Amino acid sequence: MIVLLAAALALAACRQDPPPADAQAPTADVAEPASPPDAAPVAETAAKPAAGALKSALPEGFELPFGFHRLYDNTGRTEKGGPQRRILVEYLDVEADAVRASLTQALQAKGFDAPVASDVGGESQLTFARADGASVIAKITVGRDKPRAENAKGTLHLVWNAD
């Protein structure tokens, strides 16, 4: 009997009634760091780029000055061992002459000389050079047999060599 009485008292001591609705809950001693409401979750920053976007930024923060859809985006090394970036994109909603003009203007803003131009079999090649040894070779082709983007007008193959 004494054992049952002790068990009943122990059970009653463990049981707690919920606090009244108007009572305030005790505050925790440890404060959690608050994140700004517009902060992106960590998982989003490591997300893959959207289809058609470049895999990563071009050298020196250069951005293509026209709409495009990526077909491939590769990094490698030049013959001298310097970094090299190769991309192939479909240019969208603009004609080849506009691509040539906007690309020339944007690269000259990065310090490249006026391009040396040549046309071979419907493909326009522009070679840009800079005093530090960097070069950019751009091949612009009008049209495409099986475009991936509905509004593609042609392709641009761009090779950026750091040396």
Side-chain angles (χ1 to χ4, degrees), residues 10 16 28 40 45 67-68 83 87 91:
Q16 296 180 356
T45 59
F68 64 89
I87 64 168
Y91 52 89

Side-chain angles (χ1 to χ4, degrees), residues 16-126:
Q16 296 180 356
D17 290 330
D22 61 338
Q24 292 183 353
T27 58
D29 291 339
V30 179
E32 292 184 32
S35 61
D38 60 341
V42 174
E44 285 184 27
T45 59
K48 291 183 179 182
L54 295 179
K55 292 179 182 177
S56 61
L58 288 169
E60 303 174 26
F62 183 77
E63 293 184 10
L64 294 175
F66 47 82
F68 64 89
H69 176 86
R70 172 185 47 91
L71 299 175
Y72 74 76
D73 183 351
N74 298 317
T75 57
R77 294 278 173 197
T78 65
E79 290 178 10
K80 295 178 183 179
Q84 182 182 71
R85 183 73 176 275
R86 293 177 170 270
I87 64 168
L88 178 64
V89 298
E90 292 175 322
Y91 52 89
L92 309 176
D93 299 319
V94 295
E95 299 302 325
D97 290 339
V99 170
R100 179 191 317 238
S102 63
L103 190 62
T104 297
Q105 182 180 10
L107 285 168
Q108 285 181 316
K110 289 288 186 182
F112 287 91
D113 294 333
V116 174
S118 63
D119 290 319
V120 178
E123 182 177 79
S124 175
Q125 180 171 312
L126 305 172

